[in-house]
Every structure is written in structure tokens, then in C-alpha cells.
Amino acid sequence: MFLKTFGRRIINSPALTRYNTLFTAPMVKFQRRFKSHDAGANEDHNPHELPSHGYYGTAEDDYMKLVLTLMLLPMGYYVFHQLQRFRDEADIRKLPQHLKVVDYYKAAADEIAGILEDEEHDDGSLGPLFVRLAWHASGTYDKGTNKGGSNGATMRFEPESSDPANAGLDLARERLEEVHKKFPGMSKADLWTLAACVAITEMGGPVIKWHPGRKEFDGTYVPPNGRLPDGSKGADHIRDVFYRMGFKDQEIVALAGAHALGRCHPERSGYKNPWTRAPTTFSNEYFKQLLETKWTKKNWDGPTQFEDPTGELMMLPADLAFIEDPEFKKYVVRYSKDEELFFKDFAKAFQKLLELGVDIHKSAPPVTYGDGTPPGPNRPTWSYW
Ligand code: HEM
């Protein structure tokens, strides 16, 4: 009943009148002309007038036509897009070139995996530094202008290269430059981001879905300095920075879990020491430390930071914001209890971070390195689509 009343209202609406004038009237005209010709009937009807009866004429028929059109439009749209997707994927699979490209990325990733271990560097691995490089390259993204982010590897240029927040990352760029010499066919931005994904998996973390597609910019656009988070600040600042990139609270906390890795360097950030006792193993240890350790202000002449009772581990004021802010803390508690959930959420958020502002061909299958288990002789290291 309601539908009928509503239907009639639509039928009498100016939009449908236009629809009638455009589509129905010419059809009726054609049908009448055809009929009269066929049956030799007389034209006793003004051909410009819509008939009140007959196949094309009743309001119910118009109503059915409208309903059918409205039903078919989204279906048509869906089918069109599915077909386009299948065609794209089929194209990619058909191309032997694509297989060669994937093999190229595989070889580059194996090369990266091979240079991670370095006894001279910090705790024996370049992994944490590579993760920080990809994060800082991507973390300049501004969703308002769709500028910044990993695309273009703009950290090679001023002023980004000498942003104090990026101190120490020149070493990561140099090491990866050596890999790029062997794999000049991929962009440096693709190489930096792939290096972080390989490093995370090699350090026992989750597999990150990685898509190629970043370009090499010439330095005409370089994001301004000051877009990365400041370790001396709290929750409001963290939200300002990550909301600008398009992240929500849960994703921010998941990403911060990367502080299970690596350490602070007085000559780079002014801060000192690692966050966990296993800084080359990707785990949910950062969240456990945040909740289970008593953190007190470190007594020294450096910037304000917090230390555990042994004085060997540290937290930045920004790290403690994750347990001071109740909304953030909710996720810290969740991830401290469920490492599997943390791995899953981290992998998603990190993939998103690395793809901010990048026009990735989404229907192209991602390339993934490793299966998340620690390196060993029988581990399958590669899979794609
Ligand atoms: C609240 C936001 C964050 C702040 C304030 C922050 C701050 C810092 C600071 C001050 C350092 C020490 C740098 C040094 O002295 O060498 C550092 C290191 C590091 N950060 Fe963050 N960070 C944040 C978020 C992240 C995120 C989202 C990731 C990755 C997903 C990340 C990964 C790392 C890693 C792996 C290191 C260790 C680097 C190394 O060992 O050389 N951080 N961070």
C-alpha cells in the first residue's frame, strides 16, 4: 500500500515526466505508427498525446519500469566492475613480463634479507633501521592535500633529508643504495618499503602484503619538515599527526608496537636505550613492557625519558601516552594479551602506511615475503597471489 502511494508520487514527479518524454513517448509513437500501418487502422489519436491505456501507457507499467531500472542499475554497475577486475587480473597473469617482474622483486627481497645481519650495527641487525626508514618516508603523508608519503622517495632531497627527525636514516639509505645498484629496475621508494616488509618478517613478525608501484620523483615536490611525531609530546599531538595521515586510534597503537624493535641513539634523537630486551625480534613485547614495568623519570642531563628499574630499558613521553590515554590504553591491553591479533592488525596498518598517497594498482596481486616463521632451511620464503 505504502509502496503504491509512494510509487504514484514518483510517477507524477517531474523526473519521471522527463523520463517519459525521453523514452516512453517515442516508443509509444513508434508502436502506434507501426500498428496503424500494419492493421490499416485510422489515426484517430493525436500522436503527441500519451495514451492512457495499452502496453506502454499505464501508470503501473511506468512504475514497474522504474523499479526494474532502479534494480538493474546497481547490478549493471557491479557486473561491469567485476568484469573489469577479472580482465585486469587476467591481463596481469597472462603477461610473462609480470612473472619476470615478480621474480625481480623476489630477488631484490632476498638480497635485502642477506644484508640485514650486521654485527657492527647496534644489536646485530639493520632491520629496525630499515623499518624506521620506510615509516619516516611514509609518515609525511597529508590526506588533505594527498601529498607526502613514500611515493617518490623524497627523503633523498632537502629539506627532508636533513629533517632532525630523520637523523641516522642516511645510513639505511646508503645500505639500500647498494641493493639498488643491483636492482635498478625498481624505484627507490619501492625498494625502501620492500626492505621494511622483508625486515619485519625476517625478525619474526607478520607477512606484510606489499604492492609495487611507487615512482621516482625528481625532487620538485618534497614535503615540509615537522610532519613526523615528536617523542617529547603526548596523546593530542600523536592524534594530530596520525589523524592527518588518515589513521584511527586502534591503528596508531598497532603501529607503535614497532617500538619492540631497535633503540634510541643520543647522537640522533637525544634519547638513549631500547624499549625491549629483544630489539631485533618483532613481538608484542612493547605493550607488555608498557603495562608491566614501573616507569620512572630518568635522572640525567638528556631530554625527559623514562626508565625501568634496571635503567636499561626506556620509554619516551610519547610512548607513555599510550597508557595514559584511556582510549589508546584499551588497545595496548588487548595487544599485550593477544600477539596474534597484534600481528594481524599491525600487518594491515603497516601496509596502509606504506601505501598512503600511492596510486597502487589494487587489482594487481600483492607480493609477500616469507610466511612469518623465523628463517630456516625449509621455510617457504615467497608467495604471490
Ligand atoms: C608516537 C609516534 C612515534 C614517535 C614519537 C617515535 C619516536 C622515535 C624515536 C625518538 C626513535 C629513536 C630514534 C633514534 O634515536 O635513533 C624511534 C625509533 C624507532 N621507531 Fe619510532 N616513533 C613513533 C612511531 C613509530 C612507528 C609508527 C614506527 C613503525 C611502524 C616506529 C618505528 C621505530 C623503529 C623501528 C625505531 C628504531 C630505529 C633504530 O633502532 O635505529 N616508530 N622512534
Side-chain angles (χ1 to χ4, degrees):
M1 187 65 208
F2 163 76
L3 265 180
K4 268 205 158 164
T5 329
F6 185 62
R8 283 191 191 286
R9 208 172 283 170
I10 296 179
I11 287 160
N12 293 328
S13 70
L16 197 69
T17 313
R18 255 200 310 281
Y19 174 88
N20 256 331
T21 323
L22 275 174
F23 299 106
T24 319
M27 278 201 299
V28 169
K29 227 169 142 185
F30 173 76
Q31 194 204 28
R32 295 205 135 258
R33 198 169 285 170
F34 181 71
K35 259 193 184 162
S36 60
H37 185 75
D38 202 33
N42 279 332
E43 271 289 342
D44 58 349
H45 192 276
N46 177 1
H48 298 294
E49 197 179 283
L50 280 177
S52 58
H53 59 83
Y55 186 72
Y56 291 106
T58 67
E60 271 73 15
D61 288 335
D62 281 349
Y63 174 58
M64 281 314 292
K65 256 182 272 162
L66 177 73
V67 170
L68 274 175
T69 315
L70 290 179
M71 276 167 63
L72 287 175
L73 272 177
M75 268 170 66
Y77 180 80
Y78 176 77
V79 169
F80 175 77
H81 274 266
Q82 282 303 98
L83 284 176
Q84 189 138 331
R85 232 194 73 204
F86 286 142
R87 209 197 51 202
D88 280 358
E89 282 179 14
D91 279 355
I92 287 160
R93 278 165 215 223
K94 256 191 303 187
L95 286 174
Q97 181 61 22
H98 177 65
L99 291 178
K100 274 191 226 143
V101 169
V102 171
D103 285 340
Y104 195 77
Y105 296 135
K106 283 164 69 169
D110 287 339
E111 182 77 19
I112 295 163
I115 64 161
L116 287 177
E117 230 180 271
D118 182 345
E119 285 311 315
E120 311 275 288
H121 181 76
D122 284 356
D123 303 287
S125 168
L126 285 163
L129 194 65
F130 287 170
V131 173
R132 186 163 163 255
L133 174 67
W135 138 237
H136 277 210
S138 311
T140 56
Y141 182 68
D142 171 36
K143 73 170 182 193
T145 53
N146 192 28
K147 294 227 160 164
S150 65
N151 211 5
T154 53
M155 204 196 287
R156 292 167 299 147
F157 306 111
E158 287 293 342
E160 198 181 346
S161 54
S162 55
D163 186 337
N166 291 333
L169 292 177
D170 46 343
L171 174 63
R173 297 199 297 274
E174 273 164 32
R175 291 297 170 94
L176 291 174
E177 195 58 45
E178 293 306 306
V179 179
H180 196 257
K181 277 187 193 144
K182 295 189 186 167
F183 296 89
M186 67 192 291
S187 75
K188 287 184 187 164
D190 274 347
L191 181 64
W192 293 359
T193 49
L194 179 63
C197 298
V198 172
I200 286 167
T201 308
E202 282 291 310
M203 291 186 284
V207 173
I208 317 282
K209 285 184 185 160
W210 178 84
H211 285 101
R214 291 160 197 80
K215 310 217 159 48
E216 202 123 310
F217 293 170
D218 58 4
T220 3
Y221 176 79
V222 181
N225 288 352
R227 286 193 177 177
L228 294 162
D230 178 340
S232 71
K233 297 201 172 141
D236 288 350
H237 166 75
I238 295 174
R239 286 200 171 93
D240 281 349
V241 170
F242 283 88
Y243 286 3
R244 187 207 65 225
M245 291 180 238
F247 285 110
K248 49 183 199 244
D249 288 354
Q250 169 264 316
E251 293 169 314
I252 301 173
V253 178
L255 286 172
H259 278 175
L261 301 171
R263 56 172 56 243
C264 294
H265 305 78
E267 70 283 10
R268 297 180 191 166
S269 58
Y271 299 107
K272 193 174 176 219
N273 288 340
W275 291 266
T276 67
R277 292 198 182 278
T280 60
T281 302
F282 194 92
S283 70
N284 65 345
E285 194 55 30
Y286 169 74
F287 302 114
K288 290 188 176 163
Q289 286 294 347
L290 268 175
L291 293 171
E292 291 164 15
T293 302
K294 191 173 170 350
W295 296 102
T296 52
K297 203 168 154 204
K298 185 177 173 71
N299 194 3
W300 72 328
D301 54 7
T304 299
Q305 70 174 61
F306 296 83
E307 63 182 5
D308 74 329
T310 66
E312 288 161 6
L313 301 183
M314 69 88 64
M315 287 286 165
L316 301 163
D319 292 310
L320 291 189
F322 291 115
I323 49 170
E324 283 156 6
D325 182 279
E327 191 56 25
F328 281 152
K329 188 173 175 184
K330 216 168 73 185
Y331 299 108
V332 173
V333 172
R334 221 173 272 178
Y335 293 141
S336 74
K337 290 187 186 146
D338 190 343
E339 192 176 64
E340 207 178 306
L341 177 71
F342 164 54
F343 275 28
K344 196 172 113 264
D345 287 355
F346 179 87
K348 261 194 176 157
F350 198 66
Q351 181 192 351
K352 174 172 163 180
L353 174 70
L354 303 190
E355 291 180 5
L356 294 174
V358 186
D359 192 14
I360 297 274
H361 186 42
K362 285 283 181 197
S363 62
V367 184
T368 56
Y369 177 82
D371 64 353
T373 56
N378 299 320
R379 184 178 70 151
T381 48
W382 273 96
S383 61
Y384 43 97
W385 77 74

Coordinates of all heavy atoms in Angstrom, one line a residue, residues 34-72:
F34 N 3.4 1.9 -36.2 CA 3.6 0.6 -36.7 C 2.3 -0.2 -36.7 O 1.9 -0.8 -37.7 CB 4.6 -0.2 -35.7 CG 4.9 -1.6 -36.1 CD1 5.7 -1.8 -37.3 CD2 4.4 -2.7 -35.4 CE1 6.0 -3.1 -37.7 CE2 4.7 -3.9 -35.8 CZ 5.5 -4.2 -37.0
K35 N 1.5 -0.1 -35.6 CA 0.2 -0.8 -35.5 C -0.7 -0.3 -36.6 O -1.4 -1.1 -37.3 CB -0.4 -0.5 -34.1 CG -0.3 -1.6 -33.1 CD -1.2 -1.3 -32.0 CE -1.0 -2.3 -30.9 NZ -1.5 -1.8 -29.7
S36 N -0.8 1.1 -36.7 CA -1.8 1.6 -37.7 C -1.4 1.2 -39.1 O -2.3 0.9 -39.9 CB -1.9 3.1 -37.6 OG -0.6 3.7 -37.8
H37 N -0.1 1.2 -39.4 CA 0.3 0.8 -40.7 C 0.0 -0.7 -40.9 O -0.6 -1.1 -42.0 CB 1.9 0.9 -40.7 CG 2.4 0.7 -42.1 ND1 2.3 1.6 -43.1 CD2 3.1 -0.4 -42.6 CE1 2.9 1.0 -44.2 NE2 3.3 -0.1 -43.9
D38 N 0.2 -1.5 -39.9 CA 0.0 -2.9 -40.0 C -1.4 -3.3 -40.2 O -1.8 -4.0 -41.1 CB 0.6 -3.6 -38.7 CG 0.9 -5.0 -38.9 OD1 1.3 -5.3 -40.1 OD2 0.7 -5.8 -38.0
A39 N -2.3 -2.7 -39.3 CA -3.7 -3.1 -39.3 C -4.5 -2.2 -40.2 O -5.7 -2.4 -40.4 CB -4.2 -3.1 -37.9
G40 N -3.9 -1.2 -40.7 CA -4.6 -0.3 -41.6 C -5.6 0.6 -40.8 O -6.5 1.1 -41.4
A41 N -5.4 0.6 -39.5 CA -6.3 1.4 -38.6 C -6.1 2.9 -38.9 O -5.1 3.3 -39.3 CB -6.0 1.1 -37.2
N42 N -7.2 3.7 -38.6 CA -7.1 5.1 -38.8 C -6.4 5.8 -37.6 O -6.5 5.3 -36.5 CB -8.5 5.7 -38.9 CG -9.0 5.5 -40.3 OD1 -8.2 5.4 -41.2 ND2 -10.3 5.3 -40.4
E43 N -5.7 6.8 -37.9 CA -5.0 7.6 -36.9 C -6.0 8.5 -36.2 O -6.2 9.7 -36.6 CB -3.9 8.4 -37.5 CG -2.5 7.7 -37.5 CD -1.9 7.6 -36.1 OE1 -2.3 8.3 -35.2 OE2 -1.0 6.7 -36.0
D44 N -6.8 8.0 -35.3 CA -7.8 8.8 -34.7 C -7.3 9.4 -33.4 O -8.1 9.9 -32.5 CB -9.1 8.0 -34.4 CG -8.8 6.8 -33.6 OD1 -7.6 6.5 -33.4 OD2 -9.8 6.2 -33.1
H45 N -6.0 9.3 -33.2 CA -5.5 9.7 -31.9 C -4.3 10.7 -32.2 O -3.5 10.5 -33.1 CB -4.9 8.5 -31.2 CG -4.6 8.7 -29.8 ND1 -3.4 9.2 -29.4 CD2 -5.3 8.5 -28.7 CE1 -3.4 9.3 -28.1 NE2 -4.5 8.8 -27.6
N46 N -4.3 11.7 -31.4 CA -3.2 12.7 -31.5 C -1.9 11.9 -31.1 O -1.7 11.5 -30.0 CB -3.4 13.8 -30.6 CG -2.3 14.8 -30.6 OD1 -1.3 14.6 -31.3 ND2 -2.4 15.9 -29.8
P47 N -1.0 11.8 -32.1 CA 0.3 11.0 -31.8 C 1.2 11.6 -30.8 O 2.0 11.0 -30.2 CB 1.0 11.0 -33.2 CG 0.4 12.1 -34.0 CD -1.0 12.4 -33.4
H48 N 1.0 12.9 -30.5 CA 1.8 13.5 -29.5 C 1.3 13.3 -28.1 O 1.9 13.6 -27.1 CB 1.9 15.0 -29.8 CG 2.6 15.3 -31.1 ND1 3.9 15.0 -31.3 CD2 2.1 15.8 -32.2 CE1 4.2 15.3 -32.6 NE2 3.1 15.8 -33.2
E49 N 0.1 12.8 -28.0 CA -0.5 12.6 -26.7 C -0.2 11.2 -26.1 O -0.3 10.2 -26.9 CB -2.0 12.7 -26.8 CG -2.8 13.0 -25.6 CD -4.2 13.2 -25.9 OE1 -4.6 14.2 -26.4 OE2 -5.0 12.2 -25.7
L50 N 0.2 11.1 -24.9 CA 0.4 9.8 -24.3 C -0.9 9.0 -24.1 O -1.8 9.6 -23.6 CB 1.1 9.9 -23.0 CG 2.6 10.2 -23.0 CD1 3.2 10.3 -21.6 CD2 3.3 9.0 -23.7
P51 N -1.0 7.8 -24.5 CA -2.3 7.1 -24.3 C -2.5 6.7 -22.9 O -1.5 6.5 -22.1 CB -2.1 5.8 -25.2 CG -0.6 5.6 -25.3 CD 0.0 7.0 -25.1
S52 N -3.7 6.6 -22.4 CA -4.0 6.2 -21.1 C -4.1 4.7 -20.9 O -4.4 4.2 -19.9 CB -5.2 6.9 -20.6 OG -6.3 6.5 -21.5
H53 N -4.0 4.0 -22.0 CA -4.1 2.5 -21.9 C -3.1 1.9 -22.9 O -2.3 2.7 -23.5 CB -5.5 2.1 -22.4 CG -5.8 2.6 -23.8 ND1 -5.4 1.9 -24.9 CD2 -6.4 3.7 -24.2 CE1 -5.7 2.6 -26.0 NE2 -6.3 3.7 -25.6
G54 N -3.0 0.6 -22.9 CA -2.1 -0.1 -23.8 C -0.8 -0.4 -23.1 O -0.6 0.1 -22.0
Y55 N 0.1 -1.1 -23.8 CA 1.2 -1.7 -23.1 C 2.2 -0.6 -22.5 O 2.6 -0.8 -21.4 CB 2.0 -2.5 -24.1 CG 3.1 -3.2 -23.4 CD1 2.9 -4.3 -22.6 CD2 4.4 -2.8 -23.6 CE1 3.9 -4.9 -21.9 CE2 5.5 -3.4 -22.9 CZ 5.2 -4.5 -22.1 OH 6.2 -5.1 -21.5
Y56 N 2.4 0.4 -23.2 CA 3.3 1.4 -22.7 C 2.7 2.5 -21.8 O 3.3 3.4 -21.3 CB 4.0 2.1 -23.8 CG 5.0 1.2 -24.5 CD1 4.7 0.7 -25.8 CD2 6.1 0.8 -23.9 CE1 5.5 -0.2 -26.4 CE2 7.0 -0.1 -24.5 CZ 6.7 -0.6 -25.8 OH 7.5 -1.5 -26.4
G57 N 1.3 2.4 -21.7 CA 0.6 3.6 -21.2 C 0.3 3.6 -19.7 O 0.3 4.7 -19.2
T58 N 0.1 2.5 -19.1 CA -0.5 2.6 -17.7 C 0.6 3.0 -16.7 O 1.8 2.8 -16.8 CB -1.1 1.2 -17.3 OG1 0.0 0.4 -17.1 CG2 -2.1 0.7 -18.2
A59 N 0.0 3.6 -15.6 CA 0.9 4.1 -14.6 C 1.7 2.9 -13.9 O 2.8 3.0 -13.6 CB 0.1 4.8 -13.5
E60 N 1.0 1.7 -13.8 CA 1.6 0.6 -13.2 C 2.8 0.1 -14.0 O 3.8 -0.2 -13.5 CB 0.6 -0.6 -13.1 CG -0.2 -0.7 -11.9 CD -1.3 0.4 -11.9 OE1 -1.5 1.0 -12.9 OE2 -1.8 0.7 -10.8
D61 N 2.6 0.2 -15.4 CA 3.8 -0.2 -16.2 C 4.9 0.7 -16.0 O 6.1 0.3 -15.9 CB 3.3 -0.2 -17.7 CG 2.4 -1.4 -17.9 OD1 2.5 -2.4 -17.2 OD2 1.6 -1.3 -18.9
D62 N 4.6 2.0 -15.9 CA 5.7 3.0 -15.7 C 6.4 2.7 -14.4 O 7.6 2.8 -14.3 CB 5.1 4.4 -15.7 CG 4.8 4.9 -17.1 OD1 5.3 4.2 -18.0 OD2 4.2 5.9 -17.2
Y63 N 5.6 2.4 -13.4 CA 6.1 2.1 -12.1 C 7.0 0.9 -12.1 O 8.2 0.9 -11.6 CB 4.9 1.9 -11.2 CG 5.3 1.4 -9.8 CD1 6.2 2.2 -9.0 CD2 4.9 0.3 -9.2 CE1 6.6 1.8 -7.8 CE2 5.3 -0.2 -8.0 CZ 6.1 0.6 -7.2 OH 6.5 0.2 -6.0
M64 N 6.6 -0.2 -12.8 CA 7.4 -1.4 -12.9 C 8.7 -1.1 -13.7 O 9.8 -1.6 -13.3 CB 6.6 -2.5 -13.7 CG 5.6 -3.2 -12.9 SD 6.2 -3.7 -11.3 CE 7.4 -4.9 -11.7
K65 N 8.6 -0.2 -14.7 CA 9.8 0.1 -15.5 C 10.8 0.8 -14.6 O 12.0 0.6 -14.6 CB 9.4 1.0 -16.7 CG 9.5 0.2 -18.0 CD 9.1 1.2 -19.1 CE 7.6 1.3 -19.3 NZ 7.3 2.4 -20.1
L66 N 10.3 1.7 -13.8 CA 11.1 2.5 -12.9 C 11.8 1.6 -11.9 O 13.0 1.6 -11.7 CB 10.3 3.6 -12.2 CG 11.1 4.4 -11.1 CD1 12.1 5.3 -11.9 CD2 10.2 5.1 -10.2
V67 N 11.0 0.7 -11.3 CA 11.6 -0.3 -10.3 C 12.6 -1.1 -11.0 O 13.7 -1.3 -10.4 CB 10.4 -1.1 -9.7 CG1 11.0 -2.3 -8.9 CG2 9.5 -0.3 -8.9
L68 N 12.3 -1.7 -12.2 CA 13.3 -2.5 -12.8 C 14.6 -1.8 -13.1 O 15.7 -2.3 -12.9 CB 12.7 -3.0 -14.2 CG 11.9 -4.3 -14.0 CD1 11.2 -4.6 -15.4 CD2 12.8 -5.4 -13.6
T69 N 14.4 -0.5 -13.6 CA 15.6 0.3 -13.9 C 16.4 0.5 -12.7 O 17.7 0.3 -12.7 CB 15.2 1.7 -14.5 OG1 14.2 1.5 -15.5 CG2 16.4 2.4 -15.1
L70 N 15.7 0.8 -11.6 CA 16.5 1.1 -10.3 C 17.2 -0.2 -9.8 O 18.2 -0.1 -9.2 CB 15.5 1.6 -9.3 CG 15.0 3.1 -9.5 CD1 14.1 3.5 -8.4 CD2 16.2 4.0 -9.6
M71 N 16.5 -1.3 -10.1 CA 17.2 -2.6 -9.6 C 18.3 -3.0 -10.5 O 19.4 -3.5 -10.1 CB 16.2 -3.7 -9.7 CG 15.3 -3.8 -8.4 SD 13.9 -4.9 -8.7 CE 14.7 -6.4 -9.0
L72 N 18.2 -2.7 -11.8 CA 19.2 -3.1 -12.7 C 20.5 -2.3 -12.7 O 21.6 -2.7 -13.0 CB 18.7 -3.2 -14.2 CG 17.7 -4.4 -14.4 CD1 17.1 -4.3 -15.8 CD2 18.4 -5.7 -14.2

